[in-house]
Structure formats: structure tokens, C-alpha cells
Amino acid sequence: MPTFDIVSKVDAQTLDNAMNNAKKEILNRYDFSTSNSTIDHDKKTNVITIVTEDDMRLKAIEDAIISRMVKQNLDPKSLDFGKEQYASGNMIRKEVSIKEGIDKEAAKKIVAKIKASGLKVQASVMDDQLRVQSKSIDDLQKVISLCKGEDFGQPLQYINMRN
């Protein structure tokens, strides 16, 4: 029976390249020449920590990260911007987590959308991904195009198409 999986993953190496390019861009900017701003990417916890002096610089760093992700063909929807916290002195800290896997609520929305389409497919949730099965590959391709047309709040990839 033909199947495929719907997942939400970020390529770690491409993300690392985007973060390094964003760091270089920030270091070379004139308005950051006297700044003590830092961008750290913890690969184990998948969290980006930004520390800077004021809101204007924080916004500029966020924009640099997003633009570099777009240039590396990564979807910025995978970033979850937290709240600003005041660190020591006049510094502002912001933690940006990277969403990996499909959370339960998004999975329910995707399954409901697939069922509402009336296609003869079966969608099942498996941990942080979805598996879609059908007797017809054409129906599976229709499900992919249906999901691409909707916004579920995070980037989706379609992998492991099997016959």
C-alpha cells in the first residue's frame, strides 16, 4: 500500500551555516561596531540565544537571522521567538527555539483537513510525524498539494514516498 510521511525538520548543517552568516553580517555592520551583541546556537537543545543592548539591535539581529535562513532555503516559521528578558546590566537576552517535529495540535489540524477533503486516504499520528496511506498514489499526491496550500504554523516536509 503506497504511503508517505509528513514531518517538520530543520537541516542542522544548513541552520548552522545560516547562523554563522548572520553572525558575520552583524559583526561587519557599522551600527554594531561598538556593540557587545552575541548570537549563540546550542546544537544540543536547538536554541539560539541573542544577547544585545537594546530593542533596535535585537530586532536587527532577528531580521538578519531570518534573512539568512531564507537565503539558505530554511523556513523561518520553524523559529519560535520567546520573550525578551533583561540580563545583567543594560543587556537584553532573547531565546529563540527551533521547532522540530509536528506537535499534537498541528497534527490534529492536518488529520482533520485530510479527512475533510474526502480523499480515500488514512492518516495516522506517529510520535512527531504523520503517516498517510492510500491505495492510489494520485490520492497521496492530492494530499501533499492540499497540505502545501494550507498554513499549519510550521514548515512541513513530505518524505518516504513508498509504493
Side-chain angles (χ1 to χ4, degrees), residues 91-147:
M91 303 296 273
I92 298 173
R93 171 194 304 254
K94 188 168 195 174
E95 291 189 351
V96 182
S97 60
I98 292 124
K99 294 184 220 173
E100 289 270 328
I102 301 174
D103 59 346
K104 299 270 187 214
E105 293 175 19
K108 287 180 185 178
K109 288 179 188 175
I110 294 169
V111 170
K113 186 70 176 173
I114 291 171
K115 285 185 179 180
S117 70
L119 295 170
K120 293 183 179 179
V121 296
Q122 297 171 341
S124 58
V125 179
M126 298 171 31
D127 294 330
D128 59 350
Q129 67 182 16
L130 273 97
R131 173 150 298 159
V132 182
Q133 322 180 35
S134 176
K135 292 181 180 177
S136 168
I137 292 180
D138 293 336
D139 286 343
L140 294 179
Q141 291 172 340
K142 288 177 186 174
V143 168
I144 291 173
S145 64
L146 174 78
C147 291

Side-chain angles (χ1 to χ4, degrees), residues 1-162:
M1 185 173 257
T3 64
F4 75 92
D5 295 332
I6 301 174
V7 296
S8 179
K9 293 183 180 179
V10 177
D11 183 29
Q13 184 61 48
T14 309
L15 179 66
D16 194 41
N17 291 342
M19 296 310 309
N20 289 335
N21 288 336
K23 286 179 192 177
K24 286 179 189 175
E25 179 182 327
I26 292 300
L27 289 175
N28 291 333
R29 285 178 53 166
Y30 177 74
D31 55 341
F32 281 89
S33 62
T34 60
S35 174
N36 294 330
S37 301
T38 59
I39 305 171
D40 293 320
H41 177 218
D42 187 5
K43 295 175 187 167
K44 290 183 181 173
T45 60
N46 242 355
V47 173
I48 301 166
T49 305
I50 304 169
V51 179
T52 190
E53 286 91 5
D54 54 29
D55 290 331
M56 181 195 74
R57 288 186 174 144
L58 182 66
K59 182 69 174 145
I61 292 172
E62 288 175 3
D63 290 343
I65 291 171
I66 290 172
S67 70
R68 291 299 166 178
M69 285 185 69
V70 169
K71 286 182 181 179
Q72 296 279 342
N73 292 327
L74 293 174
D75 197 338
K77 287 182 196 172
S78 62
L79 297 178
D80 185 19
F81 291 96
K83 292 189 175 186
E84 293 117 19
Q85 304 165 347
Y86 289 97
S88 61
N90 62 346
M91 303 296 273
I92 298 173
R93 171 194 304 254
K94 188 168 195 174
E95 291 189 351
V96 182
S97 60
I98 292 124
K99 294 184 220 173
E100 289 270 328
I102 301 174
D103 59 346
K104 299 270 187 214
E105 293 175 19
K108 287 180 185 178
K109 288 179 188 175
I110 294 169
V111 170
K113 186 70 176 173
I114 291 171
K115 285 185 179 180
S117 70
L119 295 170
K120 293 183 179 179
V121 296
Q122 297 171 341
S124 58
V125 179
M126 298 171 31
D127 294 330
D128 59 350
Q129 67 182 16
L130 273 97
R131 173 150 298 159
V132 182
Q133 322 180 35
S134 176
K135 292 181 180 177
S136 168
I137 292 180
D138 293 336
D139 286 343
L140 294 179
Q141 291 172 340
K142 288 177 186 174
V143 168
I144 291 173
S145 64
L146 174 78
C147 291
K148 283 184 178 180
E150 290 291 318
D151 181 23
F152 296 106
Q154 61 190 91
L156 300 177
Q157 292 87 31
Y158 311 97
I159 61 171
N160 296 338
M161 180 69 100
R162 296 196 181 118

